[in-house]
Amino acid sequence: MFIRFAVTADLHFSGSITPDIALAVESAVAEANEVVFRRGVPADAPDEQIGRITEWHADGSVVTLRIESGPYTRAHDALFRFRKLIAPVLGRHRLGLREIAVRRFTVTVPGHVPDEAVPKVPFIREVVRHGESVELELACTAADLEDRVPDRIVRLIEEKKEAALFGGKAEHWELVYESQKRPRIYAGNPTEEMLARGWLRHGASRGQWIYAPQAVRLFRALEEIVVEEIIRPLGFVEMIFPKFVPWEVWIRSGHAKGVYPEIYYVSTPKTRDPAYWEDIADTFKVTGEVPVDRIRDRLDGPIGGMCYAQCPPFWPFVQGETLANDCLPIRVFDRSGTSHRYESGGIHGIERVDEFHRIEVLWLGTADQTVETADRLHEAYRRVFDDLLELEWRSAKVTPWFMAQEGLVGESASADIGTRDYEAYLPYSDSWLEFQNVSVNGDKYPKGFTVKIQSGADCWSGCSGIGLERWTAAFLAQKGLEPAAWPEAVIRRVGEMPEIFRFL
Ligand SMILES: Nc1ncnc2c1ncn2[C@@H]1O[C@H](COS(=O)(=O)NC(=O)[C@@H](N)CO)[C@@H](O)[C@H]1O
Ligand SMILES: [Zn+2]
Protein backbone atom coordinates (compact mmCIF):
# COMPACT_ATOMS: atom_id res chain seq x y z
CA MET A 1 0.00 0.00 0.00
CA PHE A 2 1.32 3.49 -0.82
CA ILE A 3 0.03 7.01 -0.52
CA ARG A 4 -2.14 8.19 -3.46
CA PHE A 5 -2.95 11.67 -4.75
CA ALA A 6 -5.62 12.55 -7.34
CA VAL A 7 -6.61 15.91 -8.79
CA THR A 8 -9.27 16.97 -11.28
CA ALA A 9 -8.57 20.45 -12.60
CA ASP A 10 -9.95 22.77 -15.30
CA LEU A 11 -7.38 24.69 -17.34
CA HIS A 12 -9.15 27.83 -18.67
CA PHE A 13 -7.60 29.12 -21.92
CA SER A 14 -8.12 32.43 -23.73
CA GLY A 15 -9.86 30.81 -26.70
CA SER A 16 -11.62 27.60 -27.71
CA ILE A 17 -9.77 24.33 -28.19
CA THR A 18 -10.40 23.52 -31.86
CA PRO A 19 -9.87 19.93 -33.11
CA ASP A 20 -6.33 20.65 -34.43
CA ILE A 21 -5.40 22.30 -31.08
CA ALA A 22 -6.86 19.25 -29.31
CA LEU A 23 -4.34 17.16 -31.27
CA ALA A 24 -1.51 19.32 -29.82
CA VAL A 25 -2.95 18.78 -26.33
CA GLU A 26 -3.12 15.04 -26.98
CA SER A 27 0.57 14.83 -27.87
CA ALA A 28 1.48 17.07 -24.90
CA VAL A 29 -0.41 14.67 -22.60
CA ALA A 30 1.52 11.74 -24.07
CA GLU A 31 4.84 13.56 -23.66
CA ALA A 32 3.94 14.47 -20.06
CA ASN A 33 3.07 10.90 -19.13
CA GLU A 34 6.03 9.29 -20.92
CA VAL A 35 8.78 11.84 -20.26
CA VAL A 36 8.09 14.93 -18.17
CA PHE A 37 6.41 13.23 -15.18
CA ARG A 38 9.26 10.69 -14.98
CA ARG A 39 11.98 13.31 -14.48
CA GLY A 40 13.68 12.89 -11.06
CA VAL A 41 11.87 9.60 -10.42
CA PRO A 42 14.06 6.58 -9.51
CA ALA A 43 14.31 4.16 -12.48
CA ASP A 44 12.94 1.31 -10.35
CA ALA A 45 9.79 3.21 -9.26
CA PRO A 46 6.72 1.14 -10.20
CA ASP A 47 4.68 2.76 -13.02
CA GLU A 48 1.46 2.86 -11.02
CA GLN A 49 3.18 5.01 -8.37
CA ILE A 50 4.23 7.78 -10.80
CA GLY A 51 1.93 10.70 -11.60
CA ARG A 52 0.02 10.38 -14.89
CA ILE A 53 -2.86 12.08 -16.67
CA THR A 54 -5.45 9.27 -16.63
CA GLU A 55 -8.08 11.15 -18.61
CA TRP A 56 -8.69 14.55 -20.19
CA HIS A 57 -11.21 16.28 -22.41
CA ALA A 58 -11.69 19.71 -23.95
CA ASP A 59 -14.92 21.64 -23.87
CA GLY A 60 -14.94 25.16 -25.39
CA SER A 61 -11.91 26.97 -23.94
CA VAL A 62 -11.49 24.55 -21.00
CA VAL A 63 -9.25 21.50 -20.84
CA THR A 64 -10.22 19.23 -17.92
CA LEU A 65 -7.48 16.93 -16.61
CA ARG A 66 -7.59 14.06 -14.16
CA ILE A 67 -4.16 13.26 -12.74
CA GLU A 68 -3.49 10.36 -10.39
CA SER A 69 -0.24 9.46 -8.62
CA GLY A 70 1.44 7.52 -5.87
CA PRO A 71 4.37 9.10 -4.03
CA TYR A 72 6.35 9.92 -7.22
CA THR A 73 5.57 13.16 -9.11
CA ARG A 74 2.57 13.75 -6.92
CA ALA A 75 -0.62 14.69 -8.79
CA HIS A 76 -0.31 18.40 -7.91
CA ASP A 77 3.37 18.48 -8.90
CA ALA A 78 2.42 16.80 -12.20
CA LEU A 79 -0.30 19.42 -12.74
CA PHE A 80 2.25 22.26 -12.56
CA ARG A 81 4.72 20.38 -14.75
CA PHE A 82 1.95 19.98 -17.33
CA ARG A 83 1.13 23.69 -17.08
CA LYS A 84 4.78 24.49 -17.91
CA LEU A 85 4.67 22.06 -20.84
CA ILE A 86 1.31 23.10 -22.37
CA ALA A 87 1.72 26.90 -22.14
CA PRO A 88 4.19 27.28 -25.07
CA VAL A 89 2.41 24.58 -27.08
CA LEU A 90 -0.89 26.50 -27.02
CA GLY A 91 1.01 29.77 -27.23
CA ARG A 92 1.88 28.78 -30.81
CA HIS A 93 -1.89 28.73 -31.45
CA ARG A 94 -2.07 32.15 -29.78
CA LEU A 95 -3.91 30.69 -26.78
CA GLY A 96 -2.92 31.77 -23.25
CA LEU A 97 -3.65 29.88 -20.04
CA ARG A 98 -5.96 32.13 -18.00
CA GLU A 99 -6.50 30.14 -14.79
CA ILE A 100 -6.34 26.68 -13.21
CA ALA A 101 -9.47 25.75 -11.23
CA VAL A 102 -9.13 22.72 -8.92
CA ARG A 103 -12.39 20.78 -9.01
CA ARG A 104 -11.44 17.90 -6.71
CA PHE A 105 -8.35 16.90 -4.79
CA THR A 106 -7.99 13.73 -2.74
CA VAL A 107 -5.11 12.16 -0.83
CA THR A 108 -5.44 8.56 0.32
CA VAL A 109 -3.20 7.66 3.25
CA PRO A 110 -2.51 3.96 3.79
CA GLY A 111 -2.74 2.38 7.23
CA HIS A 112 -4.82 3.24 10.29
CA VAL A 113 -5.15 7.00 10.88
CA PRO A 114 -6.74 7.59 14.30
CA ASP A 115 -9.16 10.55 14.53
CA GLU A 116 -6.70 12.51 16.66
CA ALA A 117 -4.13 12.19 13.83
CA VAL A 118 -6.39 14.01 11.34
CA PRO A 119 -5.25 17.67 11.35
CA LYS A 120 -7.82 20.23 12.46
CA VAL A 121 -7.52 22.51 9.41
CA PRO A 122 -10.25 23.98 7.14
CA PHE A 123 -8.60 22.42 4.04
CA ILE A 124 -10.00 18.99 4.94
CA ARG A 125 -13.50 18.87 3.44
CA GLU A 126 -14.23 15.19 4.09
CA VAL A 127 -12.64 12.11 5.65
CA VAL A 128 -13.71 8.72 4.25
CA ARG A 129 -12.37 5.50 5.75
CA HIS A 130 -11.91 2.51 3.45
CA GLY A 131 -10.70 -0.60 5.32
CA GLU A 132 -6.94 -0.09 5.81
CA SER A 133 -6.69 3.46 4.40
CA VAL A 134 -8.27 6.86 4.82
CA GLU A 135 -9.21 9.19 1.95
CA LEU A 136 -9.17 12.92 2.61
CA GLU A 137 -10.93 15.23 0.20
CA LEU A 138 -9.17 18.60 0.36
CA ALA A 139 -10.62 22.01 -0.51
CA CYS A 140 -7.52 23.47 -2.18
CA THR A 141 -7.02 26.22 -4.73
CA ALA A 142 -4.20 25.98 -7.29
CA ALA A 143 -2.26 28.40 -5.06
CA ASP A 144 -2.70 26.05 -2.05
CA LEU A 145 -1.34 23.21 -4.19
CA GLU A 146 1.65 25.35 -5.19
CA ASP A 147 2.07 26.11 -1.46
CA ARG A 148 2.33 22.35 -0.94
CA VAL A 149 -0.63 22.27 1.48
CA PRO A 150 -1.33 18.55 0.77
CA ASP A 151 2.30 17.64 1.54
CA ARG A 152 2.21 19.52 4.84
CA ILE A 153 -1.07 17.85 5.79
CA VAL A 154 0.46 14.42 5.05
CA ARG A 155 3.56 15.26 7.12
CA LEU A 156 1.38 16.48 10.00
CA ILE A 157 -0.59 13.22 9.91
CA GLU A 158 2.65 11.24 10.16
CA GLU A 159 3.82 13.41 13.10
CA LYS A 160 0.49 13.04 14.91
CA LYS A 161 0.46 9.28 14.31
CA GLU A 162 3.94 9.08 15.84
CA ALA A 163 2.99 11.30 18.79
CA ALA A 164 -0.14 9.15 19.36
CA LEU A 165 2.16 6.13 19.31
CA PHE A 166 4.50 7.72 21.87
CA GLY A 167 1.49 9.21 23.65
CA GLY A 168 1.38 6.43 26.23
CA LYS A 169 5.15 6.62 26.65
CA ALA A 170 6.48 9.16 29.15
CA GLU A 171 9.19 11.58 28.06
CA HIS A 172 12.49 9.90 27.22
CA TRP A 173 14.71 9.72 30.37
CA GLU A 174 18.14 8.06 30.61
CA LEU A 175 20.34 8.51 33.71
CA VAL A 176 23.82 9.95 32.98
CA TYR A 177 25.30 10.94 36.39
CA GLU A 178 24.30 10.54 40.04
CA SER A 179 26.03 12.53 42.82
CA GLN A 180 26.83 11.17 46.27
CA LYS A 181 23.98 11.15 48.77
CA ARG A 182 24.01 14.07 51.22
CA PRO A 183 23.03 14.05 54.90
CA ARG A 184 19.38 15.09 55.34
CA ILE A 185 19.75 18.29 57.37
CA TYR A 186 16.35 19.79 56.43
CA ALA A 187 12.97 18.40 55.43
CA GLY A 188 10.75 21.49 55.21
CA ASN A 189 9.08 23.02 52.20
CA PRO A 190 11.39 25.94 51.31
CA THR A 191 8.64 28.13 49.85
CA GLU A 192 6.48 27.83 52.97
CA GLU A 193 9.50 28.58 55.16
CA MET A 194 10.43 31.58 52.99
CA LEU A 195 6.84 32.88 53.26
CA ALA A 196 6.90 32.46 57.04
CA ARG A 197 10.17 34.42 57.28
CA GLY A 198 9.06 37.15 54.85
CA TRP A 199 11.69 36.25 52.25
CA LEU A 200 9.02 36.53 49.57
CA ARG A 201 5.32 37.22 49.07
CA HIS A 202 2.83 36.25 46.40
CA GLY A 203 2.72 38.66 43.47
CA ALA A 204 -0.65 39.87 42.28
CA SER A 205 -0.62 37.58 39.27
CA ARG A 206 -0.83 33.78 38.88
CA GLY A 207 2.43 31.97 39.61
CA GLN A 208 4.27 35.22 40.38
CA TRP A 209 6.37 36.10 43.46
CA ILE A 210 7.76 39.32 44.93
CA TYR A 211 11.23 38.53 46.27
CA ALA A 212 12.25 40.33 49.45
CA PRO A 213 15.91 41.33 50.05
CA GLN A 214 16.69 38.06 51.84
CA ALA A 215 15.70 35.88 48.86
CA VAL A 216 17.47 38.23 46.46
CA ARG A 217 20.68 37.95 48.51
CA LEU A 218 20.58 34.20 47.89
CA PHE A 219 19.56 34.60 44.22
CA ARG A 220 22.50 36.93 43.62
CA ALA A 221 24.94 34.72 45.54
CA LEU A 222 23.96 31.76 43.34
CA GLU A 223 24.16 33.98 40.26
CA GLU A 224 27.66 35.11 41.30
CA ILE A 225 28.73 31.48 41.57
CA VAL A 226 27.36 30.83 38.07
CA VAL A 227 29.23 33.83 36.65
CA GLU A 228 32.50 33.39 38.55
CA GLU A 229 32.78 29.61 38.51
CA ILE A 230 31.19 28.68 35.19
CA ILE A 231 30.48 31.48 32.76
CA ARG A 232 33.64 33.61 33.01
CA PRO A 233 36.13 30.73 33.15
CA LEU A 234 34.57 29.25 29.98
CA GLY A 235 34.70 32.60 28.20
CA PHE A 236 31.00 33.41 27.94
CA VAL A 237 30.25 37.11 27.39
CA GLU A 238 27.06 38.90 28.48
CA MET A 239 24.46 40.08 25.97
CA ILE A 240 20.91 41.34 26.38
CA PHE A 241 18.27 39.36 24.46
CA PRO A 242 14.80 40.91 23.83
CA LYS A 243 12.02 39.81 26.19
CA PHE A 244 9.00 40.44 23.97
CA VAL A 245 8.93 37.83 21.16
CA PRO A 246 7.10 38.53 17.83
CA TRP A 247 5.61 35.62 15.83
CA GLU A 248 8.41 35.89 13.23
CA VAL A 249 10.91 34.61 15.82
CA TRP A 250 8.71 31.76 17.03
CA ILE A 251 7.97 30.77 13.42
CA ARG A 252 11.71 30.37 12.78
CA SER A 253 12.43 28.75 16.15
CA GLY A 254 9.62 26.23 15.67
CA HIS A 255 7.71 27.32 18.78
CA ALA A 256 4.81 28.33 16.51
CA LYS A 257 4.25 24.60 16.04
CA GLY A 258 2.98 24.07 19.52
CA VAL A 259 3.56 26.56 22.33
CA TYR A 260 0.11 28.25 22.17
CA PRO A 261 -1.38 26.85 25.41
CA GLU A 262 1.42 28.35 27.54
CA ILE A 263 2.14 31.76 26.01
CA TYR A 264 1.55 35.04 27.80
CA TYR A 265 0.27 36.83 24.70
CA VAL A 266 0.93 40.51 23.91
CA SER A 267 -1.44 42.80 22.01
CA THR A 268 -1.14 46.48 21.06
CA PRO A 269 -3.69 49.33 20.89
CA LYS A 270 -5.27 49.85 17.49
CA THR A 271 -4.51 53.55 17.93
CA ARG A 272 -2.73 55.80 20.44
CA ASP A 273 -5.36 58.50 19.96
CA PRO A 274 -6.44 59.37 23.55
CA ALA A 275 -9.97 60.16 22.35
CA TYR A 276 -10.31 56.52 21.20
CA TRP A 277 -9.66 55.38 24.79
CA GLU A 278 -11.49 58.10 26.70
CA ASP A 279 -14.67 56.09 27.29
CA ILE A 280 -12.63 53.17 28.67
CA ALA A 281 -10.90 55.50 31.13
CA ASP A 282 -14.21 57.16 32.00
CA THR A 283 -15.85 53.79 32.61
CA PHE A 284 -13.07 52.87 35.04
CA LYS A 285 -13.26 56.27 36.76
CA VAL A 286 -16.99 55.85 37.25
CA THR A 287 -17.25 52.12 37.98
CA GLY A 288 -13.80 51.26 39.32
CA GLU A 289 -13.81 48.32 36.93
CA VAL A 290 -11.70 47.84 33.82
CA PRO A 291 -14.03 46.98 30.86
CA VAL A 292 -11.76 44.22 29.54
CA ASP A 293 -14.18 42.99 26.87
CA ARG A 294 -14.43 46.42 25.29
CA ILE A 295 -10.65 46.81 25.45
CA ARG A 296 -10.23 43.51 23.58
CA ASP A 297 -12.03 44.92 20.53
CA ARG A 298 -9.59 47.82 20.40
CA LEU A 299 -6.43 45.77 20.24
CA ASP A 300 -4.30 44.55 17.36
CA GLY A 301 -2.72 41.14 17.63
CA PRO A 302 -1.67 39.28 19.70
CA ILE A 303 1.53 40.24 17.92
CA GLY A 304 3.55 37.69 19.89
CA GLY A 305 4.23 36.90 23.52
CA MET A 306 6.46 37.28 26.52
CA CYS A 307 9.86 35.55 26.66
CA TYR A 308 9.30 31.78 26.89
CA ALA A 309 12.48 29.88 25.98
CA GLN A 310 14.76 32.99 26.28
CA CYS A 311 17.23 32.03 23.49
CA PRO A 312 15.06 32.42 20.33
CA PRO A 313 15.02 36.27 20.34
CA PHE A 314 18.87 36.22 20.23
CA TRP A 315 18.94 34.73 16.74
CA PRO A 316 17.87 37.80 14.70
CA PHE A 317 21.28 39.22 15.82
CA VAL A 318 23.07 36.76 13.48
CA GLN A 319 20.21 36.07 11.08
CA GLY A 320 21.27 35.76 7.43
CA GLU A 321 24.96 36.24 8.34
CA THR A 322 28.07 34.15 7.65
CA LEU A 323 30.35 33.97 10.70
CA ALA A 324 34.14 34.11 10.22
CA ASN A 325 35.91 30.94 11.35
CA ASP A 326 38.18 32.91 13.68
CA CYS A 327 35.29 34.26 15.79
CA LEU A 328 33.96 30.78 16.62
CA PRO A 329 32.76 29.38 18.91
CA ILE A 330 30.55 32.27 19.98
CA ARG A 331 29.75 31.99 23.72
CA VAL A 332 27.22 34.41 25.22
CA PHE A 333 24.68 34.56 28.03
CA ASP A 334 21.63 36.62 28.96
CA ARG A 335 20.13 37.33 32.37
CA SER A 336 18.29 40.50 31.45
CA GLY A 337 14.72 39.67 32.32
CA THR A 338 11.94 37.29 33.19
CA SER A 339 10.46 34.34 31.31
CA HIS A 340 6.71 33.79 31.31
CA ARG A 341 4.80 30.52 30.89
CA TYR A 342 1.12 29.99 31.53
CA GLU A 343 2.24 26.74 33.11
CA SER A 344 -0.16 23.97 32.19
CA GLY A 345 1.66 21.77 34.71
CA GLY A 346 0.09 23.85 37.50
CA ILE A 347 2.10 26.17 39.72
CA HIS A 348 3.87 24.96 42.83
CA GLY A 349 5.81 27.06 45.30
CA ILE A 350 8.77 28.75 43.64
CA GLU A 351 9.52 25.53 41.82
CA ARG A 352 6.93 25.84 39.07
CA VAL A 353 5.84 29.42 38.51
CA ASP A 354 4.49 31.47 35.61
CA GLU A 355 7.15 34.18 35.91
CA PHE A 356 10.74 33.13 36.49
CA HIS A 357 14.31 34.41 36.31
CA ARG A 358 16.70 32.39 34.18
CA ILE A 359 20.31 32.79 33.07
CA GLU A 360 20.32 31.61 29.46
CA VAL A 361 23.71 30.43 28.25
CA LEU A 362 24.04 30.13 24.46
CA TRP A 363 26.87 29.05 22.18
CA LEU A 364 27.30 28.39 18.43
CA GLY A 365 30.02 27.16 16.08
CA THR A 366 30.92 23.94 14.31
CA ALA A 367 29.36 20.69 15.55
CA ASP A 368 32.62 19.79 17.34
CA GLN A 369 32.92 23.21 18.99
CA THR A 370 29.28 23.02 20.10
CA VAL A 371 29.61 19.53 21.59
CA GLU A 372 32.96 20.43 23.21
CA THR A 373 31.45 23.55 24.84
CA ALA A 374 28.57 21.46 26.22
CA ASP A 375 31.06 18.98 27.67
CA ARG A 376 33.03 21.75 29.37
CA LEU A 377 29.81 23.16 30.82
CA HIS A 378 28.92 19.72 32.19
CA GLU A 379 32.31 19.55 33.93
CA ALA A 380 31.95 23.05 35.39
CA TYR A 381 28.40 22.38 36.60
CA ARG A 382 29.48 19.11 38.23
CA ARG A 383 32.25 20.85 40.15
CA VAL A 384 29.84 23.59 41.33
CA PHE A 385 27.09 21.17 42.44
CA ASP A 386 29.46 18.62 44.02
CA ASP A 387 32.18 20.86 45.54
CA LEU A 388 30.66 24.34 46.07
CA LEU A 389 26.92 23.83 46.66
CA GLU A 390 27.38 20.27 47.99
CA LEU A 391 24.05 19.24 46.45
CA GLU A 392 22.50 15.81 46.02
CA TRP A 393 21.72 15.78 42.30
CA ARG A 394 21.70 13.75 39.09
CA SER A 395 21.60 14.36 35.33
CA ALA A 396 19.72 12.52 32.57
CA LYS A 397 19.39 12.56 28.79
CA VAL A 398 15.78 13.55 27.96
CA THR A 399 13.59 14.45 24.98
CA PRO A 400 15.24 17.61 23.57
CA TRP A 401 13.56 20.71 25.03
CA PHE A 402 12.96 22.17 21.57
CA MET A 403 11.05 19.00 20.55
CA ALA A 404 9.03 18.99 23.77
CA GLN A 405 8.15 22.67 23.19
CA GLU A 406 6.86 21.74 19.71
CA GLY A 407 4.72 19.00 21.21
CA LEU A 408 7.00 16.20 19.97
CA VAL A 409 8.28 13.26 22.01
CA GLY A 410 10.99 10.65 21.61
CA GLU A 411 14.66 11.21 20.95
CA SER A 412 16.73 13.47 18.71
CA ALA A 413 18.14 12.49 15.35
CA SER A 414 21.78 12.04 16.41
CA ALA A 415 23.46 10.98 19.65
CA ASP A 416 25.29 14.32 19.96
CA ILE A 417 22.06 16.29 19.74
CA GLY A 418 19.79 16.44 22.76
CA THR A 419 19.05 17.81 26.18
CA ARG A 420 20.52 16.79 29.49
CA ASP A 421 18.34 17.71 32.47
CA TYR A 422 19.90 18.38 35.88
CA GLU A 423 17.70 17.28 38.76
CA ALA A 424 18.07 17.92 42.50
CA TYR A 425 16.57 15.82 45.26
CA LEU A 426 13.90 17.58 47.35
CA PRO A 427 13.70 15.86 50.75
CA TYR A 428 10.40 17.53 51.72
CA SER A 429 8.54 15.93 48.81
CA ASP A 430 10.90 13.00 48.25
CA SER A 431 10.99 13.97 44.58
CA TRP A 432 13.48 15.20 41.97
CA LEU A 433 13.25 18.73 40.53
CA GLU A 434 14.70 19.69 37.14
CA PHE A 435 16.63 22.82 38.07
CA GLN A 436 18.53 23.40 34.82
CA ASN A 437 19.54 21.79 31.56
CA VAL A 438 22.26 21.73 28.88
CA SER A 439 21.31 21.11 25.26
CA VAL A 440 23.10 20.60 21.98
CA ASN A 441 20.45 21.76 19.54
CA GLY A 442 22.22 20.71 16.34
CA ASP A 443 21.62 22.90 13.30
CA LYS A 444 18.00 23.71 14.26
CA TYR A 445 18.50 27.40 15.06
CA PRO A 446 21.18 28.25 12.50
CA LYS A 447 18.90 26.65 9.86
CA GLY A 448 15.81 28.40 11.22
CA PHE A 449 17.61 31.78 11.12
CA THR A 450 19.87 31.06 8.08
CA VAL A 451 23.20 31.45 9.85
CA LYS A 452 26.30 30.10 8.06
CA ILE A 453 29.96 29.52 8.89
CA GLN A 454 32.83 30.74 6.66
CA SER A 455 34.21 27.20 6.27
CA GLY A 456 30.87 25.97 4.90
CA ALA A 457 30.57 23.41 7.75
CA ASP A 458 27.17 23.06 9.38
CA CYS A 459 26.61 25.69 12.06
CA TRP A 460 25.37 24.13 15.33
CA SER A 461 24.30 25.73 18.58
CA GLY A 462 23.61 24.83 22.18
CA CYS A 463 21.95 26.44 25.15
CA SER A 464 21.70 25.96 28.89
CA GLY A 465 18.91 27.39 31.03
CA ILE A 466 19.78 28.10 34.67
CA GLY A 467 16.56 28.73 36.58
CA LEU A 468 17.31 30.84 39.66
CA GLU A 469 13.99 29.92 41.33
CA ARG A 470 14.83 26.25 40.75
CA TRP A 471 18.43 26.58 41.98
CA THR A 472 17.13 28.36 45.09
CA ALA A 473 14.37 25.80 45.71
CA ALA A 474 16.81 22.90 45.34
CA PHE A 475 19.47 24.55 47.52
CA LEU A 476 17.08 25.54 50.34
CA ALA A 477 15.18 22.22 50.24
CA GLN A 478 18.47 20.45 50.99
CA LYS A 479 20.27 23.04 53.19
CA GLY A 480 17.38 24.79 55.01
CA LEU A 481 17.13 28.55 55.61
CA GLU A 482 19.80 28.97 58.32
CA PRO A 483 22.82 30.48 56.51
CA ALA A 484 25.09 29.05 59.22
CA ALA A 485 24.43 25.58 57.76
CA TRP A 486 25.18 26.67 54.20
CA PRO A 487 28.37 25.79 52.28
CA GLU A 488 31.12 28.39 52.63
CA ALA A 489 30.94 29.38 48.92
CA VAL A 490 27.39 30.64 49.52
CA ILE A 491 27.74 32.14 53.00
CA ARG A 492 30.62 34.38 52.02
CA ARG A 493 28.60 35.74 49.09
CA VAL A 494 25.35 36.26 51.02
CA GLY A 495 26.75 38.18 53.99
CA GLU A 496 24.29 39.70 56.48
CA MET A 497 20.62 38.87 55.67
CA PRO A 498 18.80 42.28 55.47
CA GLU A 499 15.52 42.41 57.46
CA ILE A 500 13.83 45.69 56.44
CA PHE A 501 10.06 45.05 56.70
CA ARG A 502 8.15 44.76 59.98
CA PHE A 503 4.39 44.13 59.59
CA LEU A 504 2.18 44.88 62.61
N1 LIG B 1 7.67 27.18 35.05
C1 LIG B 1 8.94 27.32 35.43
N2 LIG B 1 9.21 27.78 36.68
C2 LIG B 1 10.50 27.94 37.09
N3 LIG B 1 11.58 27.66 36.32
C3 LIG B 1 11.34 27.19 35.07
C4 LIG B 1 10.03 27.00 34.57
N4 LIG B 1 10.11 26.51 33.29
C5 LIG B 1 11.44 26.41 33.02
N5 LIG B 1 12.17 26.81 34.08
C6 LIG B 1 13.63 26.85 34.18
O1 LIG B 1 14.18 27.04 32.88
C7 LIG B 1 15.05 25.96 32.58
C8 LIG B 1 15.05 25.71 31.10
O2 LIG B 1 13.71 25.61 30.62
S1 LIG B 1 13.46 24.56 29.47
O3 LIG B 1 12.17 24.77 28.96
O4 LIG B 1 13.77 23.26 30.02
N6 LIG B 1 14.60 24.85 28.37
C9 LIG B 1 14.61 25.96 27.59
O5 LIG B 1 13.68 26.74 27.53
C10 LIG B 1 15.93 26.22 26.87
N7 LIG B 1 15.80 27.38 26.01
C11 LIG B 1 17.03 26.45 27.91
O6 LIG B 1 16.67 27.53 28.74
C12 LIG B 1 14.51 24.80 33.39
O7 LIG B 1 15.51 23.82 33.60
C13 LIG B 1 14.16 25.51 34.69
O8 LIG B 1 15.34 25.75 35.46
ZN1 LIG C 1 17.64 28.01 25.02
Side-chain angles (χ1 to χ4, degrees), residues 338-359:
T338 49
S339 296
H340 298 261
R341 299 185 179 189
Y342 192 61
E343 272 292 348
S344 44
I347 44 183
H348 182 85
I350 63 167
E351 285 108 67
R352 182 180 293 281
V353 293
D354 277 15
E355 176 173 314
F356 57 96
H357 303 74
R358 168 180 35 188
I359 302 172

Side-chain angles (χ1 to χ4, degrees), residues 309 311 360 401 463:
C311 52
E360 179 77 3
W401 68 272
C463 69

Side-chain angles (χ1 to χ4, degrees), residues 68-115:
E68 297 175 48
S69 82
Y72 302 106
T73 313
R74 298 177 170 188
H76 45 300
D77 294 324
L79 174 63
F80 297 116
R81 286 194 194 180
F82 184 74
R83 174 180 65 183
K84 207 154 159 258
L85 173 70
I86 195 70
V89 169
L90 269 69
R92 282 197 287 283
H93 297 272
R94 280 186 304 292
L95 285 188
L97 174 59
R98 280 257 172 75
E99 185 214 351
I100 294 181
V102 177
R103 288 179 38 188
R104 181 165 157 68
F105 189 97
T106 61
V107 49
T108 304
V109 181
H112 174 62
V113 176
D115 285 344

Side-chain angles (χ1 to χ4, degrees), residues 186-234:
Y186 180 71
N189 174 332
T191 306
E192 280 169 14
E193 186 76 29
M194 291 169 91
L195 271 168
R197 295 181 181 218
W199 286 21
L200 48 62
R201 295 199 131 195
H202 282 284
S205 181
R206 177 190 194 271
Q208 178 189 65
W209 294 95
I210 307 167
Y211 294 97
Q214 302 89 324
V216 176
R217 273 294 164 86
L218 180 52
F219 261 42
R220 295 297 176 238
L222 295 174
E223 193 175 320
E224 250 180 56
I225 290 173
V226 170
V227 175
E228 290 169 10
E229 303 292 340
I230 299 166
I231 279 180
R232 292 256 188 277
L234 290 186

Side-chain angles (χ1 to χ4, degrees), residues 107-377:
V107 49
T108 304
V109 181
H112 174 62
V113 176
D115 285 344
E116 64 270 17
V118 178
K120 282 93 189 140
V121 286
F123 293 106
I124 298 180
R125 179 177 283 156
E126 194 183 6
V127 179
V128 181
R129 292 180 187 288
H130 308 286
E132 263 314 282
S133 68
V134 64
E135 182 185 83
L136 305 177
E137 186 182 344
L138 304 187
C140 281
T141 63
D144 296 328
L145 298 187
E146 284 194 288
D147 252 359
R148 315 201 61 70
V149 164
D151 310 83
R152 293 166 189 231
I153 285 177
V154 167
R155 199 168 35 249
L156 193 48
I157 289 173
E158 295 312 325
E159 267 179 32
K160 284 171 172 283
K161 273 171 71 174
E162 177 153 337
L165 203 71
F166 271 104
K169 239 179 112 186
E171 257 205 19
H172 177 73
W173 192 94
E174 183 191 321
L175 185 66
V176 171
Y177 174 87
E178 214 166 11
S179 77
Q180 59 174 329
K181 295 246 173 292
R182 295 284 178 176
R184 299 272 185 277
I185 54 172
Y186 180 71
N189 174 332
T191 306
E192 280 169 14
E193 186 76 29
M194 291 169 91
L195 271 168
R197 295 181 181 218
W199 286 21
L200 48 62
R201 295 199 131 195
H202 282 284
S205 181
R206 177 190 194 271
Q208 178 189 65
W209 294 95
I210 307 167
Y211 294 97
Q214 302 89 324
V216 176
R217 273 294 164 86
L218 180 52
F219 261 42
R220 295 297 176 238
L222 295 174
E223 193 175 320
E224 250 180 56
I225 290 173
V226 170
V227 175
E228 290 169 10
E229 303 292 340
I230 299 166
I231 279 180
R232 292 256 188 277
L234 290 186
F236 285 89
V237 181
E238 190 158 11
M239 286 181 76
I240 290 181
F241 302 167
K243 289 294 168 283
F244 161 66
V245 190
W247 294 124
E248 163 65 14
V249 169
W250 277 335
I251 286 167
R252 288 174 175 273
S253 71
H255 282 85
K257 289 182 186 167
V259 78
Y260 302 99
E262 294 201 334
I263 295 176
Y264 270 86
Y265 292 88
V266 172
S267 295
T268 48
K270 282 193 188 328
T271 162
R272 293 179 186 75
D273 171 3
Y276 182 73
W277 292 93
E278 192 173 355
D279 63 320
I280 300 289
D282 291 352
T283 303
F284 172 69
K285 286 172 189 163
V286 169
T287 67
E289 310 223 328
V290 178
V292 175
D293 291 342
R294 284 169 38 210
I295 291 174
R296 189 175 297 119
D297 306 336
R298 304 176 188 218
L299 300 180
D300 279 337
I303 57 171
M306 296 303 291
C307 170
Y308 182 91
Q310 198 158 340
C311 52
F314 154 81
W315 286 94
F317 187 82
V318 290
Q319 188 170 331
E321 298 289 354
T322 297
L323 290 161
N325 294 335
D326 61 12
C327 79
L328 301 176
I330 296 285
R331 292 180 178 152
V332 294
F333 72 101
D334 166 77
R335 53 176 168 175
S336 68
T338 49
S339 296
H340 298 261
R341 299 185 179 189
Y342 192 61
E343 272 292 348
S344 44
I347 44 183
H348 182 85
I350 63 167
E351 285 108 67
R352 182 180 293 281
V353 293
D354 277 15
E355 176 173 314
F356 57 96
H357 303 74
R358 168 180 35 188
I359 302 172
E360 179 77 3
V361 186
L362 186 153
W363 57 100
L364 60 134
T366 63
D368 290 350
Q369 289 169 331
T370 305
V371 171
E372 196 255 339
T373 301
D375 291 343
R376 290 177 62 186
L377 269 173

